[in-house]
Amino acid sequence: MDASRLADYASVGALEPYGDKISQPEDFYASLRTAFTYDGKFYCAPKDFSTLALIVNQDLWAKAGLSEADVPTTWDELKAVSEKLKGKDVTPLAIGPTRDRMGAFMVQAGGWLTSPDGKQATADSPQNLAALDYVRSLVTAGLAKFPNQLDAEWGGEAFGKGKAAMTIEGNWIKGALQADFPDVKYTVHELPAGPKGKGTLSFTNCWGISAKSRNKEQAISFVEAMTKADQQMTFAKAFGVMPSRQSAKSAYTGAFPDDVPFVNGADYAQGPVNAPKMDSVLVDFDTSLQKLSSTAPKTLLERTQKNIQAALGTS
């Protein structure tokens, strides 16, 4: 079950809250436990996870006279290196115009769409405004472009085609590049920190158990087996997913050293909006983000604030 649907199912009593019955629940990354916690209950064991990172095209980087030392670690550095890249007639950054990409900047600014407990709308905040103002400055200056502006369906495709020197994507980009653009040389780095520090987004699923199941103990036993560290490493090697248990981190990074920036993101990642009845609200937010260059971020956030309040029943 995707983390973005937890509140929908938990709020109507459809899920069995068994998370704390799994051995060593504290071994799951805290950000993943939070993603599957609703009304104070840890509902289900995280299966695996992904995070966003900065992907850099080594050839385009070198062609622009840049080195490893130029990889940006702050918003200011990201803008500065993007200006250098643009001067070499390269699109510096390809970024998807959705909350699942731009939302990382909101986290880096100290913001998010809802309060940590999912009870209050926090879209119209100074932090979120700072984030969208920053992203808009990149877009309007031509330092960042959306994939459709680069004849691509997503950031990874634009990156693979050599249309952009950088993109912000999850670790699923590895398989996509290997399959479709095997000659592209790239490196992976943690996202640049914002005014409030590092921030990224996590994408995760859990092993959900129905509240009406007649076989809860057997189901929990199954999940127990599926979430053991060695079993998670088997999944990692077979499917490229990252283990949700911290005790598997050293084994995973030993086997996949290039993925360290993705794994490190677990320590400061923000999960999906954890509140029920948010689908249409978030689709509307994504639609608004596509118009970021022509719409004032404040207007966009005010609209989203009202929509979230209506969905939460707090307006």
Side-chain angles (χ1 to χ4, degrees):
M1 186 191 69
D2 190 276
S4 64
R5 302 308 306 276
L6 174 75
D8 285 328
Y9 290 114
S11 64
V12 295
L15 283 178
E16 177 69 13
Y18 73 88
D20 285 324
K21 295 181 180 179
I22 294 289
S23 62
Q24 295 182 296
E26 71 283 353
D27 187 32
F28 296 110
Y29 288 100
S31 58
L32 303 183
R33 293 201 308 273
T34 298
F36 293 112
T37 296
Y38 182 77
D39 272 352
K41 295 179 181 178
F42 178 32
Y43 268 81
C44 49
K47 177 176 171 283
D48 47 52
F49 76 105
S50 305
T51 62
L52 298 177
L54 185 71
I55 320 297
V56 172
N57 182 308
Q58 289 179 286
D59 289 339
L60 293 179
W61 204 251
K63 195 177 291 186
L66 300 171
S67 69
E68 181 83 11
D70 295 299
V71 172
T73 59
T74 66
W75 283 7
D76 287 345
E77 290 176 5
L78 177 59
K79 181 169 280 190
V81 79
S82 294
E83 288 169 346
K84 290 180 182 178
L85 286 162
K86 189 188 178 193
K88 301 295 183 181
D89 296 324
V90 172
T91 295
L93 175 68
I95 182 171
T98 70
R99 69 186 183 282
D100 286 342
R101 300 296 180 273
M102 294 186 186
F105 290 94
M106 295 163 66
V107 178
Q108 292 155 17
W112 190 236
L113 296 170
T114 56
S115 56
D117 64 3
K119 303 294 186 185
Q120 299 295 323
T122 57
D124 187 15
S125 70
Q127 294 84 357
N128 291 335
L129 181 59
L132 293 191
D133 276 342
Y134 175 77
V135 176
R136 190 187 196 207
S137 73
L138 297 181
V139 173
T140 54
L143 302 178
K145 290 186 178 180
F146 301 152
N148 63 352
Q149 296 175 299
L150 299 170
D151 192 29
E153 292 188 5
W154 67 294
E157 182 184 2
F159 182 85
K161 288 180 174 179
K163 300 282 186 75
M166 299 179 287
T167 192
I168 294 173
E169 284 295 338
N171 44 302
W172 49 79
I173 197 174
K174 293 191 316 176
L177 291 177
Q178 188 174 354
D180 299 330
F181 307 100
D183 297 329
V184 173
K185 299 175 184 175
Y186 66 95
T187 54
V188 180
H189 310 271
E190 292 180 60
L191 293 179
K196 295 296 183 181
K198 292 182 179 182
T200 188
L201 303 180
S202 72
F203 306 88
T204 179
N205 288 274
C206 80
W207 296 97
I209 296 177
S210 170
K212 293 183 178 180
S213 172
R214 298 176 182 175
N215 304 290
K216 292 177 185 176
E217 294 308 313
Q218 294 93 327
I220 293 172
S221 179
F222 172 80
V223 175
E224 186 83 56
M226 292 298 99
T227 55
K228 289 187 183 299
D230 56 351
Q231 181 60 53
Q232 290 202 335
M233 279 304 299
T234 300
F235 288 146
K237 291 173 181 175
F239 310 120
V241 294
M242 298 194 300
S244 59
R245 283 195 178 275
Q246 298 174 80
S247 57
K249 180 177 181 177
S250 59
Y252 182 83
T253 55
F256 305 98
D258 293 342
D259 283 7
V260 168
F262 289 120
V263 179
N264 286 348
D267 292 337
Y268 49 84
Q270 169 68 53
V273 171
N274 193 350
K277 303 175 182 176
M278 283 291 155
D279 277 0
S280 61
V281 173
L282 297 176
V283 168
D284 183 81
F285 183 49
D286 282 350
T287 301
S288 299
L289 287 174
Q290 294 172 26
K291 304 169 186 172
L292 184 62
S293 60
S294 59
T295 304
K298 178 69 173 173
T299 301
L300 189 160
L301 291 171
E302 286 175 346
R303 174 186 175 92
T304 304
Q305 176 80 11
K306 290 178 181 176
N307 288 343
I308 294 175
Q309 287 176 332
L312 293 175
T314 59
S315 55

